[in-house]
Amino acid sequence: MATLILVRHGRSTANTAGLLAGWTPGVALDERGTEQAAALPGRLAGVPLAAAVTSPLQRCRETLAPLLAARPHLPLHTDERIGECHYGDWSGRKLSELSEEPLMKIVQQHPSAAAFPGGESLRAMQARAVEAVREWNARIEEEHGSDAVFLMCSHGDIIKSLVADALGMHLDLFQRIHVDPCSVTAVRYTPTRPFVFRLGDTGDFGSLVPRPAAPDKAVEDGGNAVVGGGAGAA
């Protein structure tokens, strides 16, 4: 069956401001995110893509713009099911403030039970994203053959939940997964099981170098994951 390349959007203005963007309009790539997006065509130069599917949010569309310019005949589709989690009342708030909310403990330790006030549950988020991937996988294979490769540009929590599904992990473990901005994750689906070939690959090992902890980094004090995915390495 087809191979899926999952690309997280490049670093955004919300990432660097330490905000949980969600579906807040007007969240664009920052300068570093624009550079990451510009490098994406070169990173994928040797990969034949049958189609691209994107979240409708601005930061994902901006991430794919250089790739589409380099491949003007690449079909582009938009699917709201791979859009960011609907964080509801949490959207637009500082992650440093949200870390004090009682719900954050549930989000970190028992995410399958977490539902955001005025938004959706993480369980519902994963279900819609997995449904989208399965449907697109079948469509791409039918139209382009079992060796086809297609790309989806989405968001940190969406990609983490899709990787958990591919690995047969319970959603309660998905916070153990991390994907940096503009990282590439590759999953090949077969009739019996998926295979994860890449996970959060940026081609840059700078994020592994020890540095002083900061609120917007991937792992905070106490081992908590940043909801929404974090800003990645500086």
Side-chain angles (χ1 to χ4, degrees):
M1 297 180 73
T3 297
L4 168 62
I5 294 178
L6 290 160
V7 177
R8 184 184 167 200
H9 62 78
R11 196 175 73 178
S12 73
T13 53
N15 292 146
T16 46
L19 301 176
L20 185 62
W23 284 71
T24 304
V27 176
L29 299 183
D30 69 3
E31 183 177 355
R32 173 59 178 154
T34 301
E35 294 172 352
Q36 292 170 333
L40 189 60
R43 293 169 60 198
L44 298 176
V47 182
L49 295 174
V53 185
T54 184
S55 155
L57 295 175
Q58 178 179 343
R59 52 198 183 274
C60 287
R61 291 186 283 107
E62 289 181 349
T63 298
L64 286 188
L67 179 65
L68 295 172
R71 304 191 190 199
H73 301 296
L74 180 65
L76 177 66
H77 309 274
T78 300
D79 194 326
E80 290 194 357
R81 294 175 297 177
I82 62 167
E84 182 63 285
C85 182
H86 291 277
Y87 295 116
D89 297 344
W90 279 28
S91 299
R93 294 180 58 189
K94 287 187 172 293
L95 289 163
S96 57
E97 296 174 358
L98 292 172
S99 66
E100 304 300 322
E101 294 280 354
L103 177 60
M104 183 60 83
K105 184 176 181 180
I106 307 301
V107 171
Q108 295 291 333
Q109 299 182 16
H110 189 20
S112 65
F116 296 98
E120 70 180 331
S121 67
L122 287 171
R123 188 175 61 256
M125 177 203 74
Q126 183 188 45
R128 63 172 165 86
V130 169
E131 178 184 52
V133 164
R134 297 294 183 173
E135 289 184 9
W136 278 106
N137 192 66
R139 174 176 171 178
I140 294 296
E141 182 177 5
E142 180 179 356
E143 295 179 358
H144 301 278
S146 59
D147 293 330
V149 182
F150 69 109
L151 179 149
M152 282 186 166
C153 187
S154 189
H155 307 266
D157 282 348
I158 294 285
I159 294 173
K160 287 163 57 178
S161 74
L162 290 170
V163 171
D165 173 75
L167 292 173
M169 293 170 54
H170 196 282
L171 183 61
D172 284 344
L173 302 178
F174 99 125
Q175 297 290 25
R176 301 184 182 194
I177 300 167
H178 178 70
V179 289
D180 271 335
C182 223
S183 62
V184 171
T185 295
V187 183
R188 181 171 297 161
Y189 290 86
T190 76
T192 55
R193 64 175 69 92
F195 293 87
V196 177
F197 282 82
R198 294 286 189 279
L199 176 58
D201 188 348
T202 63
D204 179 6
F205 294 100
S207 62
L208 303 180
V209 177
R211 54 172 52 85
D216 63 342
K217 296 304 177 185
V219 180
E220 299 177 345
D221 291 341
N224 286 342
V226 174
V227 179

